[in-house]
Amino acid sequence: MKRLLSGVLFFVAVALPFTSLWASKPSDLFQIGQRAKSTAGSSGTTMPSGPAATVNNPAALTHIPGIVAGFSYSYGYMGLEVNGKDANVLDYRGFDLGLALPLPQVFSKKISLGLTVHLPDQMILRMQAIPASEPRFIRFDNYPHRLETAAAVAFAPFDWLSIGLGAAIMMDFDGEEFHLKVGSKSGQKIGEMEISSSIPYRIVPFGGLIITPEHVPLLRKCKLGFFYREPYHFNLNMNVMADVDVAGIVTGDTIIALRMHDHFSPRKIRAGIAFNFFEKHNLFFDLSWEQWSQFDAGFSTMKILVDLGINPPLVESILPDDNFRDILIFSGGLELVFQKVMLRAGYGYHPTPVPNQVGFSTLMDSDRHVLATGVGFNFKGPAILPYPIQFGLSYQLHYLVSRTASKHNSTLPSVQYGGSIHQLSIGLKMDF
Amino acid sequence: MISAKITKLLNLFNIIAFVVLVNLLLPHLAEANPADLFGTGSKSAAMADTGVASADQADALFLNPARLAFTPKLSIMGGLVFQQAALQTPAGNRSIKDSWYSHFGISFPSPFKGFLQDKIQFGFFAVAPLAEMTRIEMRLPSDPAYPYFENRSQRLVLIPGFSYILFDSPTAGKLSFGFGVNYFAALEGAIIGREGATRSVEARVFEEIQGKATVNGGIAYNYKSLHFGFSYRQAFGLDFHNVSFNHIAGTDINLDLKGTALYSPHTLSWGVVWKQPRYSIQFNLIEYLWSFYSTPLVSMRSQLPLVGSLVGQLPETKFNNTMAFLLGGSYKLNSKFILRGGVGFENKMLPEQTGKTNLLDTHKFKLTMGLTWKLSTRLFLHGHLRYIHLFGSTHHKNIMTTDADCGTSIPASSSTVLSDEVHCVPDDESTWGFQTTNPGYPSISSGGGVFAAGITLEVRQ
């Protein structure tokens, strides 16, 4: 009972405040959980560490014997370049918090809850859009910078099968009406405004299962994991209308309408396998399919109507479809366990979903190789917190293959880009 | 014996699991700042929102965080509130958007050992509208509006916190202090639009949702049958600031918008409870420091074609501090049911609207009642009904007419006076006399009522 109460500490005081702003993208890029980070994500579907199971594969929550709380801080240096110069992409920084909470068995079946939060330390959510003609690292400029929270419940109907379901609540910003009244009345200048806007909920479901085929001789030491997640993108709508009424001089309207999509997370299907060898060590392989062909968030749309007696010759451009392609991501990893020390390493290959940018726009992304390594230490906490604690340290190198966007129109400049991302993360996991 | 205890414990766990699951999988079942208007849980809401010296659930984080130390070791609450309002305006009665709200809270001990063992209690409390996470409604200065009611409840409220027991003695009583953090967000950004290489308007957008936190704090002291409490809630508003620079066909269209919506003022609360085995009586005195609120209106600067640069001059909106007097009580009918009730009065925060603005508020009287049903030793169902009556009042406008000889002098603008909008033309009789489009002229009446009802399920160790 005391263990339950103690574990709830993190669950509520730290993580729950953010349950209403769930998302999942930063974890796709840099993973959540020390084991997933240090194996380049390859352990995520089958053996995510502690509360990180909530995001990686909620079915794994039933494999956690007791209450586990986790905390980590990650920093990612964005060493990305455009035409040999620093691309000035904002570095990735933030906290990961989580709790896994086994509940009493119902009908002799295991049930567990999980909660994971990634909280950027610079802002809750960043949205940035630039004109279509300017180069943009489409997957690295905004996507790492958003709050990501996932909550899930898992149960084990059989000893060999665990099922996990999660629900994520994201949000949109719907600026229904920004109505200005500008002009003069009674000889006085008037500038006043009314606003009607809302932040509606958006639900993003996900789920997974883990099979432990202990009764199948060849697969006796394996775990098979599967994961599915629905897509999401953030919608920003702003409608600004200015009524201008200067008696005898000018009367009319100015309308500004902005539509923006950002933070696209593709539909994702993931399968993984973990081999246990020499009782303690583990080998991981993972394959993910991401449906980037549904991507439609490359450019914002802005329309301005001026009806004040002057009609500026505005042209409305029609931008081509983004035409991203679906991708398959492969990763593999290894974990060696020596009493109180764990050594981990992994590799992942992430092909780019972005097609050659031969036209006017330049959405930058290239194939990415991820090399990861990490170490974990087990020890007992001090007298004030006398619980088993695991300290983790991980490093990831993301190498973006150099790529050149050569244009069909020779008057448009070609753009060469690439670079690397270095992510360092430290974390603590406590078993209550 | 041991088996029976384990069975009871498992039943408790299952109930906890149910409550947590419902509230996690329906995350909108966490609450917002409806707490200011419609109460926290049904238990305190049934007693006119008195709780500064009596709260014993996770909603203490809103009422008085120090009271978290007086909750059971583990306590979980969750429930729903429904509201329906009829606020009088010249265009008919107006309701408050978002009829349904939910609340969720949990209180639990810290895992610390040693000198901190059994000294700290943690908790989390949340309130949220079911329909949306947040809604911002800011009106034109002359539009009739009830800033006390209309756009204060439509946001998610999240308050994690803790309390610390300073001493707990059979002779000297129990003293604690506590803190909670009221956490939400602010929006800041810029939109730049200009003709780009495509010759169409291309947008450059920078928007950030930033975290924002304010503090709730309090102290609580129990001495025998007397309980005392004091709490302070820091003011909280959802700030937004957005600029838009657009250069179209050689013309600038620029906007700079700034405002604070969903405002709750600095709040000081004092409370005392006299508690007997069968009944309790409590009194709360609450001071709302509305005078720190600058304006519920949007500040705007603009640059538009032919109009040029214009800084909107907002009429002055003066808010007064208010006091609320709350009296609540409970009576134990039998071993299963506890009857609760309360009354409250709060004076109005806005002066008479004699000028351009029509920001309406009146003295308010609150009548509440409720019932607690003890379903088992650990499971309680609380229900409540509430009616807030807005005393009717009428605001008469002061007007300023142009010169009798149709002179060209322009009256100086004033926040307490309504100006003539059409200066007279000597040859045009239709322009003679005072003319205005203000919907509050010659007078505007305010009043109405707000009905609310709710239930809260409580599980405690």
Side-chain angles (χ1 to χ4, degrees), chain A residues 9 12 17 20 104 124-125 127 129 134 180 186 192 195 197 199 201 315 317 384 387, chain B residues 13 27 108 111 113 124 129 134 136 138 156 158 200 204-205 207 209 248 300 356 420:
Chain A
L9 163 69
V12 174
S20 49
I124 291 175
L125 176 76
M127 291 165 283
E134 297 183 18
L180 292 79
S186 321
E192 47 190 49
I195 290 176
S197 62
I199 300 179
Y201 298 106
V315 174
S317 64
I384 195 170
Y387 306 104
Chain B
F13 280 169
F108 54 91
K113 305 291 184 188
F124 169 75
T134 299
I136 299 170
M138 301 185 82
L156 180 70
L158 305 162
S200 66
R204 193 182 293 273
V205 181
E207 297 282 348
I209 295 179
I248 312 297
M300 186 202 70
K356 182 174 186 176
D420 192 357

mmCIF file of all heavy atoms in Angstrom, chain A residues 9 12 17 20 104 124-125 127 129 134 180 186 192 195 197 199 201 315 317 384 387, chain B residues 13 27 108 111 113 124 129 134 136 138 156 158 200 204-205 207 209 248 300 356 420:
data_model
loop_
_atom_site.group_PDB
_atom_site.id
_atom_site.type_symbol
_atom_site.label_atom_id
_atom_site.label_comp_id
_atom_site.label_asym_id
_atom_site.label_seq_id
_atom_site.Cartn_x
_atom_site.Cartn_y
_atom_site.Cartn_z
ATOM 1 N N LEU A 9 2.979 9.716 -6.145
ATOM 2 C CA LEU A 9 3.640 11.020 -6.043
ATOM 3 C C LEU A 9 3.968 11.620 -7.404
ATOM 4 O O LEU A 9 3.547 12.721 -7.735
ATOM 5 C CB LEU A 9 4.922 10.856 -5.230
ATOM 6 C CG LEU A 9 5.950 11.968 -5.339
ATOM 7 C CD1 LEU A 9 5.419 13.206 -4.680
ATOM 8 C CD2 LEU A 9 7.252 11.546 -4.705
ATOM 9 N N VAL A 12 0.894 12.024 -10.074
ATOM 10 C CA VAL A 12 -0.028 13.132 -9.941
ATOM 11 C C VAL A 12 0.668 14.476 -9.895
ATOM 12 O O VAL A 12 0.405 15.364 -10.687
ATOM 13 C CB VAL A 12 -0.891 12.959 -8.686
ATOM 14 C CG1 VAL A 12 -1.754 14.179 -8.467
ATOM 15 C CG2 VAL A 12 -1.739 11.731 -8.824
ATOM 16 N N PRO A 17 -0.557 17.046 -14.436
ATOM 17 C CA PRO A 17 -0.929 18.375 -14.884
ATOM 18 C C PRO A 17 -0.930 18.541 -16.385
ATOM 19 O O PRO A 17 -1.502 19.476 -16.905
ATOM 20 C CB PRO A 17 0.140 19.266 -14.249
ATOM 21 C CG PRO A 17 0.525 18.557 -13.021
ATOM 22 C CD PRO A 17 0.422 17.108 -13.364
ATOM 23 N N SER A 20 -3.759 16.825 -20.426
ATOM 24 C CA SER A 20 -4.695 17.336 -21.405
ATOM 25 C C SER A 20 -3.989 17.875 -22.646
ATOM 26 O O SER A 20 -4.601 18.469 -23.496
ATOM 27 C CB SER A 20 -5.538 18.432 -20.783
ATOM 28 O OG SER A 20 -4.697 19.334 -20.146
ATOM 29 N N PRO A 104 -4.319 -3.573 -8.730
ATOM 30 C CA PRO A 104 -4.676 -4.918 -8.288
ATOM 31 C C PRO A 104 -5.282 -5.717 -9.438
ATOM 32 O O PRO A 104 -5.925 -5.151 -10.322
ATOM 33 C CB PRO A 104 -5.716 -4.680 -7.205
ATOM 34 C CG PRO A 104 -5.562 -3.280 -6.809
ATOM 35 C CD PRO A 104 -5.009 -2.542 -7.960
ATOM 36 N N ILE A 124 5.921 25.448 -24.240
ATOM 37 C CA ILE A 124 5.045 24.282 -24.297
ATOM 38 C C ILE A 124 4.894 23.816 -25.735
ATOM 39 O O ILE A 124 4.892 22.634 -26.030
ATOM 40 C CB ILE A 124 3.664 24.627 -23.694
ATOM 41 C CG1 ILE A 124 3.797 24.844 -22.195
ATOM 42 C CG2 ILE A 124 2.665 23.515 -23.963
ATOM 43 C CD1 ILE A 124 2.510 25.296 -21.534
ATOM 44 N N LEU A 125 4.748 24.769 -26.636
ATOM 45 C CA LEU A 125 4.538 24.435 -28.046
ATOM 46 C C LEU A 125 5.096 25.564 -28.896
ATOM 47 O O LEU A 125 4.880 26.732 -28.604
ATOM 48 C CB LEU A 125 3.042 24.273 -28.325
ATOM 49 C CG LEU A 125 2.642 24.016 -29.764
ATOM 50 C CD1 LEU A 125 2.947 22.575 -30.152
ATOM 51 C CD2 LEU A 125 1.156 24.280 -29.965
ATOM 52 N N MET A 127 5.279 27.027 -32.842
ATOM 53 C CA MET A 127 4.804 26.949 -34.217
ATOM 54 C C MET A 127 5.571 27.978 -35.022
ATOM 55 O O MET A 127 5.673 29.139 -34.626
ATOM 56 C CB MET A 127 3.315 27.279 -34.287
ATOM 57 C CG MET A 127 2.427 26.236 -33.664
ATOM 58 S SD MET A 127 0.780 26.879 -33.398
ATOM 59 C CE MET A 127 1.011 27.878 -31.946
ATOM 60 N N ALA A 129 6.261 29.056 -39.227
ATOM 61 C CA ALA A 129 6.106 28.818 -40.663
ATOM 62 C C ALA A 129 6.860 29.906 -41.404
ATOM 63 O O ALA A 129 6.881 31.056 -40.959
ATOM 64 C CB ALA A 129 4.634 28.851 -41.053
ATOM 65 N N GLU A 134 11.535 29.641 -48.982
ATOM 66 C CA GLU A 134 12.718 29.560 -48.125
ATOM 67 C C GLU A 134 12.945 28.135 -47.642
ATOM 68 O O GLU A 134 11.993 27.431 -47.286
ATOM 69 C CB GLU A 134 12.552 30.502 -46.924
ATOM 70 C CG GLU A 134 12.460 31.959 -47.341
ATOM 71 C CD GLU A 134 12.369 32.889 -46.144
ATOM 72 O OE1 GLU A 134 12.716 32.461 -45.028
ATOM 73 O OE2 GLU A 134 11.943 34.037 -46.333
ATOM 74 N N LEU A 180 -11.986 43.818 -35.607
ATOM 75 C CA LEU A 180 -11.538 45.162 -35.247
ATOM 76 C C LEU A 180 -12.507 46.189 -35.799
ATOM 77 O O LEU A 180 -13.064 46.010 -36.887
ATOM 78 C CB LEU A 180 -10.178 45.480 -35.864
ATOM 79 C CG LEU A 180 -8.937 44.752 -35.409
ATOM 80 C CD1 LEU A 180 -8.856 43.389 -36.029
ATOM 81 C CD2 LEU A 180 -7.723 45.563 -35.795
ATOM 82 N N SER A 186 -17.582 60.728 -33.648
ATOM 83 C CA SER A 186 -17.659 61.910 -32.787
ATOM 84 C C SER A 186 -16.339 62.673 -32.782
ATOM 85 O O SER A 186 -15.959 63.240 -31.771
ATOM 86 C CB SER A 186 -17.992 61.522 -31.347
ATOM 87 O OG SER A 186 -18.907 60.505 -31.288
ATOM 88 N N GLU A 192 -10.982 49.503 -31.576
ATOM 89 C CA GLU A 192 -11.427 48.548 -30.565
ATOM 90 C C GLU A 192 -11.631 47.185 -31.206
ATOM 91 O O GLU A 192 -11.711 47.065 -32.431
ATOM 92 C CB GLU A 192 -12.714 49.036 -29.881
ATOM 93 C CG GLU A 192 -13.774 49.530 -30.835
ATOM 94 C CD GLU A 192 -14.931 50.219 -30.124
ATOM 95 O OE1 GLU A 192 -14.680 51.086 -29.278
ATOM 96 O OE2 GLU A 192 -16.080 49.878 -30.442
ATOM 97 N N ILE A 195 -12.868 39.474 -29.609
ATOM 98 C CA ILE A 195 -12.202 38.212 -29.934
ATOM 99 C C ILE A 195 -13.098 37.055 -29.526
ATOM 100 O O ILE A 195 -13.700 37.071 -28.446
ATOM 101 C CB ILE A 195 -10.858 38.096 -29.186
ATOM 102 C CG1 ILE A 195 -9.850 39.091 -29.757
ATOM 103 C CG2 ILE A 195 -10.290 36.684 -29.283
ATOM 104 C CD1 ILE A 195 -8.542 39.112 -29.009
ATOM 105 N N SER A 197 -12.373 32.972 -29.686
ATOM 106 C CA SER A 197 -11.481 31.888 -30.125
ATOM 107 C C SER A 197 -11.542 30.754 -29.116
ATOM 108 O O SER A 197 -11.965 30.945 -27.977
ATOM 109 C CB SER A 197 -10.048 32.391 -30.264
ATOM 110 O OG SER A 197 -9.578 32.834 -29.021
ATOM 111 N N ILE A 199 -9.697 26.727 -27.925
ATOM 112 C CA ILE A 199 -8.690 25.674 -28.068
ATOM 113 C C ILE A 199 -9.421 24.350 -27.855
ATOM 114 O O ILE A 199 -9.620 23.923 -26.712
ATOM 115 C CB ILE A 199 -7.538 25.849 -27.055
ATOM 116 C CG1 ILE A 199 -6.851 27.196 -27.288
ATOM 117 C CG2 ILE A 199 -6.535 24.716 -27.169
ATOM 118 C CD1 ILE A 199 -5.715 27.482 -26.336
ATOM 119 N N TYR A 201 -10.287 20.242 -27.990
ATOM 120 C CA TYR A 201 -9.538 19.006 -27.752
ATOM 121 C C TYR A 201 -9.382 18.236 -29.060
ATOM 122 O O TYR A 201 -10.234 18.286 -29.941
ATOM 123 C CB TYR A 201 -10.280 18.093 -26.783
ATOM 124 C CG TYR A 201 -10.500 18.648 -25.403
ATOM 125 C CD1 TYR A 201 -11.758 19.086 -25.005
ATOM 126 C CD2 TYR A 201 -9.476 18.702 -24.468
ATOM 127 C CE1 TYR A 201 -11.988 19.575 -23.725
ATOM 128 C CE2 TYR A 201 -9.693 19.184 -23.190
ATOM 129 C CZ TYR A 201 -10.950 19.618 -22.820
ATOM 130 O OH TYR A 201 -11.169 20.094 -21.558
ATOM 131 N N VAL A 315 -2.050 38.287 -55.974
ATOM 132 C CA VAL A 315 -2.078 37.034 -56.715
ATOM 133 C C VAL A 315 -2.187 35.907 -55.706
ATOM 134 O O VAL A 315 -1.543 35.931 -54.661
ATOM 135 C CB VAL A 315 -0.771 36.863 -57.529
ATOM 136 C CG1 VAL A 315 -0.726 35.490 -58.178
ATOM 137 C CG2 VAL A 315 -0.671 37.958 -58.567
ATOM 138 N N SER A 317 -1.428 32.188 -54.907
ATOM 139 C CA SER A 317 -0.600 31.096 -55.428
ATOM 140 C C SER A 317 -1.201 29.759 -55.029
ATOM 141 O O SER A 317 -1.842 29.628 -53.991
ATOM 142 C CB SER A 317 0.816 31.201 -54.872
ATOM 143 O OG SER A 317 0.793 31.021 -53.480
ATOM 144 N N ILE A 384 16.691 9.065 2.977
ATOM 145 C CA ILE A 384 15.418 9.787 2.830
ATOM 146 C C ILE A 384 14.547 9.193 1.721
ATOM 147 O O ILE A 384 13.330 9.339 1.715
ATOM 148 C CB ILE A 384 15.708 11.283 2.577
ATOM 149 C CG1 ILE A 384 14.447 12.120 2.781
ATOM 150 C CG2 ILE A 384 16.290 11.521 1.203
ATOM 151 C CD1 ILE A 384 14.702 13.593 2.775
ATOM 152 N N TYR A 387 15.009 3.546 -1.878
ATOM 153 C CA TYR A 387 14.419 2.677 -2.897
ATOM 154 C C TYR A 387 15.476 2.341 -3.951
ATOM 155 O O TYR A 387 16.420 3.106 -4.145
ATOM 156 C CB TYR A 387 13.232 3.377 -3.573
ATOM 157 C CG TYR A 387 12.186 3.868 -2.599
ATOM 158 C CD1 TYR A 387 12.095 5.214 -2.271
ATOM 159 C CD2 TYR A 387 11.307 2.972 -2.002
ATOM 160 C CE1 TYR A 387 11.143 5.664 -1.369
ATOM 161 C CE2 TYR A 387 10.343 3.419 -1.108
ATOM 162 C CZ TYR A 387 10.269 4.765 -0.791
ATOM 163 O OH TYR A 387 9.328 5.206 0.102
ATOM 164 N N PHE B 13 -8.825 -0.735 -4.028
ATOM 165 C CA PHE B 13 -7.954 -0.568 -5.198
ATOM 166 C C PHE B 13 -8.765 -0.537 -6.484
ATOM 167 O O PHE B 13 -8.514 0.261 -7.379
ATOM 168 C CB PHE B 13 -6.940 -1.713 -5.270
ATOM 169 C CG PHE B 13 -5.772 -1.531 -4.351
ATOM 170 C CD1 PHE B 13 -4.898 -2.564 -4.123
ATOM 171 C CD2 PHE B 13 -5.544 -0.319 -3.727
ATOM 172 C CE1 PHE B 13 -3.809 -2.400 -3.285
ATOM 173 C CE2 PHE B 13 -4.467 -0.140 -2.891
ATOM 174 C CZ PHE B 13 -3.601 -1.190 -2.655
ATOM 175 N N PRO B 27 -9.866 12.591 -20.497
ATOM 176 C CA PRO B 27 -9.042 13.579 -19.826
ATOM 177 C C PRO B 27 -9.741 14.915 -19.639
ATOM 178 O O PRO B 27 -9.327 15.723 -18.853
ATOM 179 C CB PRO B 27 -7.833 13.725 -20.732
ATOM 180 C CG PRO B 27 -8.094 12.930 -21.925
ATOM 181 C CD PRO B 27 -9.351 12.175 -21.761
ATOM 182 N N PHE B 108 -2.246 12.275 -1.621
ATOM 183 C CA PHE B 108 -1.500 11.072 -1.220
ATOM 184 C C PHE B 108 -0.246 11.481 -0.449
ATOM 185 O O PHE B 108 0.265 12.591 -0.632
ATOM 186 C CB PHE B 108 -1.109 10.253 -2.455
ATOM 187 C CG PHE B 108 -0.359 11.051 -3.477
ATOM 188 C CD1 PHE B 108 1.007 11.126 -3.465
ATOM 189 C CD2 PHE B 108 -1.055 11.760 -4.446
ATOM 190 C CE1 PHE B 108 1.682 11.874 -4.395
ATOM 191 C CE2 PHE B 108 -0.380 12.519 -5.384
ATOM 192 C CZ PHE B 108 0.995 12.576 -5.355
ATOM 193 N N PRO B 111 6.687 9.729 -0.512
ATOM 194 C CA PRO B 111 7.422 8.487 -0.237
ATOM 195 C C PRO B 111 8.631 8.705 0.658
ATOM 196 O O PRO B 111 9.387 7.772 0.899
ATOM 197 C CB PRO B 111 7.863 8.048 -1.636
ATOM 198 C CG PRO B 111 8.034 9.320 -2.390
ATOM 199 C CD PRO B 111 7.021 10.275 -1.827
ATOM 200 N N LYS B 113 11.282 9.098 3.610
ATOM 201 C CA LYS B 113 11.501 8.466 4.921
ATOM 202 C C LYS B 113 12.281 9.431 5.806
ATOM 203 O O LYS B 113 12.509 10.578 5.447
ATOM 204 C CB LYS B 113 12.277 7.160 4.744
ATOM 205 C CG LYS B 113 11.637 6.171 3.778
ATOM 206 C CD LYS B 113 10.357 5.596 4.333
ATOM 207 C CE LYS B 113 9.775 4.542 3.404
ATOM 208 N NZ LYS B 113 8.454 4.091 3.812
ATOM 209 N N PHE B 124 -3.112 16.773 -6.255
ATOM 210 C CA PHE B 124 -3.332 17.363 -7.571
ATOM 211 C C PHE B 124 -4.825 17.579 -7.735
ATOM 212 O O PHE B 124 -5.636 16.715 -7.396
ATOM 213 C CB PHE B 124 -2.811 16.416 -8.661
ATOM 214 C CG PHE B 124 -3.235 16.830 -10.036
ATOM 215 C CD1 PHE B 124 -2.636 17.906 -10.646
ATOM 216 C CD2 PHE B 124 -4.237 16.157 -10.709
ATOM 217 C CE1 PHE B 124 -3.038 18.317 -11.900
ATOM 218 C CE2 PHE B 124 -4.645 16.556 -11.963
ATOM 219 C CZ PHE B 124 -4.041 17.634 -12.569
ATOM 220 N N PRO B 129 -13.635 22.421 -18.637
ATOM 221 C CA PRO B 129 -14.882 22.340 -19.395
ATOM 222 C C PRO B 129 -14.857 21.085 -20.265
ATOM 223 O O PRO B 129 -13.790 20.704 -20.761
ATOM 224 C CB PRO B 129 -14.874 23.601 -20.259
ATOM 225 C CG PRO B 129 -13.549 24.237 -20.104
ATOM 226 C CD PRO B 129 -12.748 23.483 -19.119
ATOM 227 N N THR B 134 -10.108 25.459 -23.783
ATOM 228 C CA THR B 134 -10.134 26.883 -23.431
ATOM 229 C C THR B 134 -10.987 27.640 -24.437
ATOM 230 O O THR B 134 -11.006 27.293 -25.618
ATOM 231 C CB THR B 134 -8.701 27.475 -23.469
ATOM 232 O OG1 THR B 134 -7.891 26.797 -22.539
ATOM 233 C CG2 THR B 134 -8.701 28.950 -23.131
ATOM 234 N N ILE B 136 -11.762 31.820 -25.387
ATOM 235 C CA ILE B 136 -11.494 33.226 -25.083
ATOM 236 C C ILE B 136 -12.558 34.067 -25.769
ATOM 237 O O ILE B 136 -12.735 33.984 -26.986
ATOM 238 C CB ILE B 136 -10.095 33.645 -25.585
ATOM 239 C CG1 ILE B 136 -9.015 32.805 -24.903
ATOM 240 C CG2 ILE B 136 -9.852 35.129 -25.341
ATOM 241 C CD1 ILE B 136 -7.641 32.985 -25.508
ATOM 242 N N MET B 138 -13.599 38.053 -25.823
ATOM 243 C CA MET B 138 -13.378 39.428 -25.379
ATOM 244 C C MET B 138 -14.229 40.327 -26.262
ATOM 245 O O MET B 138 -14.209 40.201 -27.481
ATOM 246 C CB MET B 138 -11.901 39.788 -25.467
ATOM 247 C CG MET B 138 -11.045 38.856 -24.606
ATOM 248 S SD MET B 138 -9.313 39.293 -24.547
ATOM 249 C CE MET B 138 -9.332 40.568 -23.290
ATOM 250 N N LEU B 156 -9.057 25.150 -18.762
ATOM 251 C CA LEU B 156 -8.512 24.064 -17.966
ATOM 252 C C LEU B 156 -7.737 24.650 -16.780
ATOM 253 O O LEU B 156 -6.970 25.585 -16.955
ATOM 254 C CB LEU B 156 -7.570 23.261 -18.856
ATOM 255 C CG LEU B 156 -6.854 22.063 -18.283
ATOM 256 C CD1 LEU B 156 -7.832 20.940 -18.030
ATOM 257 C CD2 LEU B 156 -5.783 21.600 -19.257
ATOM 258 N N LEU B 158 -5.205 23.480 -13.646
ATOM 259 C CA LEU B 158 -4.380 22.371 -13.146
ATOM 260 C C LEU B 158 -3.608 22.869 -11.937
ATOM 261 O O LEU B 158 -2.865 23.839 -12.041
ATOM 262 C CB LEU B 158 -3.394 21.925 -14.230
ATOM 263 C CG LEU B 158 -3.999 21.546 -15.577
ATOM 264 C CD1 LEU B 158 -2.940 21.545 -16.655
ATOM 265 C CD2 LEU B 158 -4.640 20.187 -15.489
ATOM 266 N N SER B 200 2.269 35.985 -54.414
ATOM 267 C CA SER B 200 1.127 35.924 -53.508
ATOM 268 C C SER B 200 1.611 36.331 -52.120
ATOM 269 O O SER B 200 2.804 36.525 -51.899
ATOM 270 C CB SER B 200 0.556 34.507 -53.467
ATOM 271 O OG SER B 200 1.512 33.643 -52.890
ATOM 272 N N ARG B 204 4.916 34.396 -42.684
ATOM 273 C CA ARG B 204 5.993 33.960 -41.796
ATOM 274 C C ARG B 204 5.383 33.996 -40.399
ATOM 275 O O ARG B 204 4.982 35.071 -39.920
ATOM 276 C CB ARG B 204 7.162 34.933 -41.916
ATOM 277 C CG ARG B 204 8.468 34.481 -41.303
ATOM 278 C CD ARG B 204 9.500 35.568 -41.457
ATOM 279 N NE ARG B 204 9.873 35.788 -42.839
ATOM 280 C CZ ARG B 204 10.830 35.106 -43.483
ATOM 281 N NH1 ARG B 204 11.509 34.196 -42.835
ATOM 282 N NH2 ARG B 204 11.112 35.355 -44.738
ATOM 283 N N VAL B 205 5.254 32.851 -39.778
ATOM 284 C CA VAL B 205 4.519 32.755 -38.514
ATOM 285 C C VAL B 205 5.450 32.287 -37.401
ATOM 286 O O VAL B 205 6.190 31.320 -37.582
ATOM 287 C CB VAL B 205 3.343 31.750 -38.641
ATOM 288 C CG1 VAL B 205 2.559 31.674 -37.350
ATOM 289 C CG2 VAL B 205 2.436 32.129 -39.788
ATOM 290 N N GLU B 207 4.767 31.474 -33.465
ATOM 291 C CA GLU B 207 3.832 31.444 -32.334
ATOM 292 C C GLU B 207 4.373 30.494 -31.282
ATOM 293 O O GLU B 207 4.880 29.422 -31.605
ATOM 294 C CB GLU B 207 2.443 30.951 -32.779
ATOM 295 C CG GLU B 207 1.740 31.837 -33.795
ATOM 296 C CD GLU B 207 1.115 33.074 -33.185
ATOM 297 O OE1 GLU B 207 1.029 33.132 -31.939
ATOM 298 O OE2 GLU B 207 0.742 33.984 -33.941
ATOM 299 N N ILE B 209 3.323 28.790 -27.418
ATOM 300 C CA ILE B 209 2.485 28.656 -26.235
ATOM 301 C C ILE B 209 3.432 28.428 -25.077
ATOM 302 O O ILE B 209 4.174 27.440 -25.042
ATOM 303 C CB ILE B 209 1.490 27.492 -26.374
ATOM 304 C CG1 ILE B 209 0.512 27.799 -27.511
ATOM 305 C CG2 ILE B 209 0.738 27.270 -25.078
ATOM 306 C CD1 ILE B 209 -0.501 26.714 -27.772
ATOM 307 N N ILE B 248 1.434 44.860 -48.341
ATOM 308 C CA ILE B 248 0.733 44.410 -49.541
ATOM 309 C C ILE B 248 0.631 45.560 -50.528
ATOM 310 O O ILE B 248 0.090 46.621 -50.191
ATOM 311 C CB ILE B 248 -0.711 43.929 -49.187
ATOM 312 C CG1 ILE B 248 -0.683 42.978 -47.994
ATOM 313 C CG2 ILE B 248 -1.371 43.304 -50.393
ATOM 314 C CD1 ILE B 248 0.081 41.712 -48.222
ATOM 315 N N MET B 300 -5.357 47.456 -28.742
ATOM 316 C CA MET B 300 -5.028 47.274 -30.156
ATOM 317 C C MET B 300 -4.326 48.501 -30.720
ATOM 318 O O MET B 300 -4.700 49.639 -30.435
ATOM 319 C CB MET B 300 -6.314 47.027 -30.947
ATOM 320 C CG MET B 300 -6.080 46.690 -32.379
ATOM 321 S SD MET B 300 -7.525 47.018 -33.375
ATOM 322 C CE MET B 300 -7.599 48.772 -33.368
ATOM 323 N N LYS B 356 -19.222 54.784 -21.961
ATOM 324 C CA LYS B 356 -19.288 53.943 -23.149
ATOM 325 C C LYS B 356 -19.425 52.452 -22.832
ATOM 326 O O LYS B 356 -20.097 51.709 -23.526
ATOM 327 C CB LYS B 356 -18.027 54.169 -23.977
ATOM 328 C CG LYS B 356 -17.999 53.389 -25.263
ATOM 329 C CD LYS B 356 -16.799 53.767 -26.090
ATOM 330 C CE LYS B 356 -16.871 53.086 -27.458
ATOM 331 N NZ LYS B 356 -15.761 53.503 -28.318
ATOM 332 N N ASP B 420 -21.805 62.442 -28.082
ATOM 333 C CA ASP B 420 -22.667 62.509 -29.271
ATOM 334 C C ASP B 420 -21.870 61.995 -30.471
ATOM 335 O O ASP B 420 -20.767 62.455 -30.737
ATOM 336 C CB ASP B 420 -23.064 63.969 -29.489
ATOM 337 C CG ASP B 420 -24.182 64.091 -30.514
ATOM 338 O OD1 ASP B 420 -24.576 63.052 -31.072
ATOM 339 O OD2 ASP B 420 -24.644 65.212 -30.731
#
